Amino acid sequence: MSANRISRRAFTSRAAAFTFSAVTASKSLGQSSKDETVVIHPEISAGRVRPELHGHFAEHLGSCIYGGLWVGEKSPVATINGFRKQAIDYLKALGIPVLRWPGGCFADDYHWRDGIGPRAKRPKRVNIHWGNYTEDNSFGTHEFVELCRLIEAEPYFAGNVGSGTPQELRDWVEYANYPSGSTLTDERAANGSPDPFKIRYWGVGNENWGCGGRMTGEEYATQYRRFAGYMRNFGTPLYLIACGPNSNDSRWTRGFMDSMQGRGYPHGFAMHYYQNLRVEPTRFSVENVQAQLAKFDDMEKAIVQQRALLDSYDPERRVGLLIDEWGVWDGMIPAEEKKYGRLWQQNTMRSAVGAALGLNVFHRHADKLVMGNIAQTVNVLHAMLLAYEDKCIRTPSYYAFELAKPHRGKMGVRVETGDSSPLRLSVSASRQYGDLVVTLVNPKHDTHLKVSCRLAGATASAASARILHHQNFNAANTFEQPDVVVPKPHAATADGARVTLELPPMSIVTATVKI
Ligand code: AHR
């Protein structure tokens, strides 16, 4: 039976029988070893894993854009039309389904006209959110769209509500999407793009409860209606994304939804959920690791509760839930920020485990989510790449996303671990026809897991797996040693109704199974 033919009865069934084997623990070499049983229900859908759940976010912040993705055509670094070639190659290989830009807080002080036309004539503006340095606007609308084309990502524009006007935003939509024949589209053509960009995803402000205007949910709803009312579909149906809550703030969601009074709902509502723990990235203690990784459970609760709250207003789910900023936010080191830019954060094995826990949450709740964008792509916060001068390396979290890639587009299926303790084994699974993909994450620093995945109603004929693991959760890839944490092939055994594999402490394994 194909995944998209899962029956309604099977989908809603609570009766599927499962058993868990006894958990045994034995000590060896200072680590405990634990047997775990996971039950995977390939016939019970948890919703399609939209590729957009693996989305990304790039802001004009520190060296994410300038010096990171964009080094300019005159740079001594190898480029493709001014874009850092190594970054393009890595991001294209990873496959970024959707990329959100230009912020973040920056979005609500960005005036798109500053970033079009001949680069030498573009104005210099002060980036008031991220250090009051000046930007020459050499990276603007056309450059972002070209970047997205190079890496084959769908662009997501975040519009300015905080310091902008409805007219400015409606003009950006016309400039980007109207086919031809208006003064704005003539200007677009003169700037090198006669064809419309066909931008589908538009954010109407960012964090308008904070840096985007310090509004209440009710006040923002009024602004949302004013701005969205002038954003038109010019042959490209728009997907308008309203600012959602800071973490699981139900007051914001209620205030916004109450004020909308059932009319003119946005297509999407974007929560931001960071896993903050302000400790230097490579100096996490065991307690720090546990405290930060436990926050992924809180994000899972927030998804369930915010979706339920939206459902209470909008049972047909016309409003999709997004998390368009998420990830680990550690403590910055001033000397590193000075050298590499604001919010530069080293990325470790612990960060990768965090990324994999987040992606597993998204897969398990694929029916409730439309998009997830990790913050941010290069050099900032929970980054995929670190770049400096002529060097560009992949972080452990890049590989966590790479390991999750086979889930994209497949049908998420139900998994049962029978364990709700903190830092338990995390599992997600998805299926398309006879291909089952399972990602398992062991967030414990001291426990080796021997995992048996029982397939309910299916037979496994073959399995292969890859692992990302380092015994030191503070291990990182550096410019000098870029391959400290990299994925490797891993043993997995398919034995009829079971797949068995082992997860050392702090590891991520993705198994692909033929069923
Ligand atoms: O990602 C960094 C910042 O975090 C963004 O600019 C803002 O939206 C959030 O507070």
Side-chain angles (χ1 to χ4, degrees):
M1 182 198 240
S2 75
N4 50 15
R5 283 197 282 122
I6 290 170
S7 74
R8 175 172 278 272
R9 198 154 64 96
F11 182 86
T12 53
S13 170
R14 298 266 155 193
F18 60 89
T19 53
F20 298 104
S21 67
V23 170
T24 58
S26 66
K27 288 265 180 193
S28 70
L29 299 171
Q31 285 181 358
S32 58
S33 172
K34 191 176 172 198
D35 294 336
E36 293 267 8
T37 296
V38 175
V39 182
I40 299 173
H41 299 270
E43 302 294 335
I44 304 181
S45 171
R48 180 172 170 263
V49 179
R50 295 167 50 95
E52 292 80 6
L53 299 186
H54 294 193
H56 294 258
F57 166 43
E59 180 168 11
H60 289 229
L61 194 182
S63 55
C64 182
I65 299 289
Y66 294 106
L69 289 161
W70 174 253
V71 289
E73 283 162 326
K74 294 187 188 136
S75 170
V77 174
T79 78
I80 304 174
N81 302 336
F83 302 95
R84 184 186 285 275
K85 184 174 182 316
Q86 186 67 85
I88 299 295
D89 291 347
Y90 284 151
L91 296 178
K92 190 171 171 193
L94 183 60
I96 297 231
V98 58
L99 185 61
R100 177 173 180 254
W101 169 86
C105 294
F106 181 83
D108 279 289
D109 196 41
Y110 181 62
H111 302 282
W112 66 272
R113 294 201 61 90
D114 292 346
I116 58 168
R119 288 197 195 110
K121 291 192 176 161
R122 295 185 193 175
K124 294 190 176 53
R125 302 285 184 212
V126 178
N127 186 328
I128 58 167
H129 285 293
W130 301 114
N132 287 338
Y133 64 89
T134 57
E135 295 196 356
D136 65 6
N137 277 300
S138 53
F139 188 96
T141 299
H142 290 254
E143 287 78 15
F144 177 63
V145 171
E146 190 182 347
L147 167 68
C148 288
R149 285 188 182 143
L150 287 170
I151 62 173
E152 296 170 6
E154 177 151 10
Y156 166 0
F157 282 13
N160 179 348
V161 166
S163 71
T165 62
Q167 177 171 4
E168 184 184 13
L169 190 48
R170 66 73 71 212
D171 282 354
W172 202 12
V173 179
E174 181 182 323
Y175 183 88
N177 286 0
Y178 195 70
S180 64
S182 77
T183 300
L184 280 171
T185 59
D186 288 349
E187 197 178 359
R188 185 187 68 222
N191 289 333
S193 298
D195 294 330
F197 296 138
K198 299 188 178 173
I199 306 298
R200 200 154 55 108
Y201 294 116
W202 291 85
V204 184
N206 168 78
E207 294 194 354
N208 302 93
W209 37 261
C211 59
R214 314 219 184 286
M215 303 176 208
T216 63
E218 292 82 351
E219 288 165 347
Y220 172 68
T222 305
Q223 293 306 318
Y224 175 83
R225 281 195 300 272
R226 279 186 71 220
F227 280 71
Y230 296 92
M231 299 173 74
R232 295 302 159 84
N233 165 355
F234 297 125
T236 301
L238 304 186
Y239 190 96
L240 299 187
I241 299 161
C243 167
N246 179 12
S247 306
N248 194 7
D249 179 3
S250 55
R251 207 168 108 188
W252 173 270
T253 304
R254 281 208 182 85
F256 177 79
M257 293 302 278
D258 283 343
S259 298
M260 293 303 286
Q261 298 185 335
R263 288 175 286 119
Y265 278 153
H267 305 100
F269 189 65
M271 169 162 71
H272 285 183
Y273 210 110
Y274 283 99
Q275 288 73 30
N276 296 319
L277 200 96
R278 302 297 161 88
V279 172
E280 289 183 12
T282 56
R283 289 173 181 242
F284 268 54
S285 65
V286 168
E287 293 72 27
N288 297 152
V289 173
Q290 290 171 344
Q292 188 177 58
L293 296 183
K295 292 173 195 260
F296 288 92
D297 280 351
D298 301 336
M299 182 171 79
E300 184 160 14
K301 275 184 214 128
I303 291 168
V304 172
Q305 290 173 3
Q306 289 288 327
R307 186 62 262 175
L309 186 50
L310 289 173
D311 288 352
S312 69
Y313 291 88
D314 168 38
E316 289 159 18
R317 296 199 171 172
R318 285 167 292 166
V319 184
L321 180 63
L322 294 77
I323 303 194
D324 67 10
E325 290 185 28
W326 69 280
V328 297
W329 189 320
D330 306 338
M332 306 305 152
I333 300 171
E336 287 182 346
E337 279 197 293
K338 198 164 170 224
K339 182 168 181 187
Y340 301 120
R342 288 294 292 273
L343 302 193
W344 192 91
Q345 181 175 296
Q346 181 52 283
N347 193 291
T348 65
M349 185 64 224
R350 177 255 324 157
S351 323
V353 167
L357 290 176
L359 292 173
N360 267 1
V361 168
F362 295 171
H363 300 161
R364 286 198 298 270
H365 296 281
D367 59 330
K368 304 178 188 67
L369 288 172
V370 168
M371 191 187 290
N373 306 82
I374 193 161
Q376 299 192 8
T377 315
V378 182
N379 284 340
V380 169
L381 296 176
H382 201 157
M384 300 297 109
L385 304 179
L386 299 178
Y388 181 63
E389 295 178 338
D390 61 341
K391 299 187 183 67
C392 179
I393 61 166
R394 290 166 287 191
T395 65
S397 294
Y398 175 101
Y399 295 116
F401 270 71
E402 188 186 277
L403 285 184
K405 200 173 165 183
H407 290 281
R408 290 187 201 164
K410 293 193 172 60
M411 192 63 69
V413 298
R414 187 190 295 173
V415 292
E416 314 265 2
T417 62
D419 184 359
S420 57
S421 63
L423 299 178
R424 63 196 167 280
L425 169 69
S426 158
V427 188
S428 75
S430 63
R431 175 194 166 192
Q432 192 170 34
Y433 304 107
D435 295 321
L436 180 73
V437 180
V438 188
T439 293
L440 306 105
V441 186
N442 179 2
K444 286 197 164 63
H445 73 287
D446 60 354
T447 310
H448 186 101
L449 302 178
K450 295 179 178 171
V451 185
S452 167
C453 300
R454 186 163 78 72
L455 308 184
T459 306
S461 56
S464 62
R466 292 173 80 211
I467 186 168
L468 189 71
H469 163 63
H470 197 287
Q471 62 207 22
N472 174 6
F473 50 70
N474 285 323
N477 296 338
T478 63
F479 295 123
E480 295 72 34
Q481 289 187 288
D483 297 323
V484 173
V485 186
V486 292
K488 299 192 172 94
H490 191 58
T493 309
D495 172 18
R498 282 176 198 279
V499 176
T500 48
L501 27 77
E502 303 204 4
L503 275 91
M506 298 298 284
S507 64
I508 307 162
V509 171
T510 291
T512 46
V513 183
K514 283 281 170 213
I515 58 170

